[in-house]
Every structure is written in structure tokens, then in C-alpha cells.
Amino acid sequence: IKHKDFCTDEFNQNQLQTEKKDREKRDLLAKIEDLSMMIESLSKAIAELKSQISEMQVQLKRAGEDRELQNKEFQTTVADQRETQKLLTSALEFLKDFYSKKASLLQKQEPVGPPPPAGFETYKNNAGSGGVMQLIQQIIADAKAMEAEAIRSEEDA
């Protein structure tokens, strides 16, 4: 009887341990399945992020090329405006010298022939006109403004 009781106890313990191990096995299999799904979803996310990174690298390269072209355009604009200012300033100085000397070089001439008819007046410069020199000064100011605007936009970029 002792032997039978021993065998029954051992059999019950064995069955209890088997059920416990089966439960552990099911839990571990469920955990393995969850981790496998997580690995799969993370692999997909990694692949998507890698494609986004490569797209962003392409966009970064394009942005660098665009910025390089903008800088080249800026350099050209500033150089053109500075050259325009230099050229117009020298032209303005030349005209100032010329018109200041012109007054001393003019010869007084007596009118030849009969006097003009009654409807004609003597010739004089239009007082309201700005003149060529003021026009050149305005163009120089515009060139300086354009240069300053280009520099500001370059600093903002």
C-alpha cells in the first residue's frame, strides 16, 4: 500500500509539474509570437525610415545646389550693382566737370541776321526739368538700394 500511495503521489506530482510546464510552454510560445510580430513591425519601420532618410538626403543635396545657385546669382547682382554705381559715378563726375567748364568756354555771339519775330522768346533751360545729372544720381541711388536689398535677402537665406 505504501508503494501504491508513493506511486499515486508521484503520479499526481508528475501530472502537476507537467501541467505547470505546459502552461509555461504556452506562455513562452505566446511571448515568442508577440516578439516575432514586434520584430517584423520594427523591421518594416526601419525600412520606411531608411527610405525617408535617403529621400531627405536627396532633398538636402538639391537644397544645397539651389542655395549655391542663389548665392551665385547674389554675387552677380551685387557685382553688377557695384559696377553700375562705379560707372555712373565716374560719368556724373565727368558731366559735372564738363558743365562747370562749359560756362567758361562759351563765347558770346551776337545774333546774326534780323531780330526774331515777336512771338519767339529767348532760349533758356526748362527750370522744372531734372536734368541728366539728377537722373544719373537717381539711378546710382537705385543701384545702391538694389545692392542693399540683395545683401539683406542673402543674409536672410
Side-chain angles (χ1 to χ4, degrees):
I1 281 196
K2 278 183 176 185
H3 188 62
K4 182 181 174 197
D5 287 340
F6 173 75
C7 284
T8 305
D9 281 343
E10 285 296 318
F11 184 71
N12 287 337
Q13 279 184 349
N14 190 7
Q15 189 175 2
L16 195 62
Q17 285 177 351
T18 303
E19 287 175 8
K20 192 176 181 183
K21 293 295 179 181
D22 282 343
R23 226 177 292 128
E24 274 184 49
K25 181 180 174 185
R26 283 193 304 268
D27 290 345
L28 288 175
L29 287 174
K31 189 172 184 178
I32 288 172
E33 188 176 326
D34 288 345
L35 291 175
S36 296
M37 285 191 292
M38 183 184 280
I39 288 173
E40 184 180 330
S41 67
L42 291 176
S43 296
K44 287 179 183 178
I46 288 172
E48 184 178 329
L49 291 173
K50 282 183 180 181
S51 70
Q52 288 177 359
I53 287 172
S54 65
E55 177 64 29
M56 286 181 185
Q57 287 174 338
V58 168
Q59 289 177 357
L60 183 64
K61 184 178 178 184
R62 286 182 186 155
E65 290 170 354
D66 290 347
R67 182 69 190 105
E68 194 175 302
L69 290 174
Q70 289 173 349
N71 187 286
K72 194 174 190 179
E73 182 180 328
F74 161 76
Q75 296 294 338
T76 303
T77 301
V78 169
D80 287 348
Q81 295 309 314
R82 288 183 179 162
E83 188 63 31
T84 300
Q85 291 171 31
K86 182 180 167 186
L87 179 70
L88 289 175
T89 303
S90 65
L92 187 63
E93 292 301 318
F94 178 79
L95 287 175
K96 282 181 183 177
D97 289 344
F98 178 77
Y99 283 122
S100 67
K101 291 178 185 176
K102 181 180 177 189
S104 65
L105 293 177
L106 283 180
Q107 296 177 359
K108 297 282 182 181
Q109 246 185 347
E110 292 296 322
V112 180
F120 289 96
E121 298 176 10
T122 60
Y123 175 78
K124 54 186 169 183
N125 285 336
N126 186 351
S129 69
V132 173
M133 291 180 27
Q134 286 181 344
L135 179 64
I136 291 175
Q137 288 173 338
Q138 181 61 43
I139 294 172
I140 291 172
D142 289 346
K144 286 181 182 178
M146 187 178 283
E147 177 187 355
E149 181 182 335
I151 290 172
R152 272 194 307 274
S153 65
E154 176 67 14
E155 288 173 353
D156 290 345

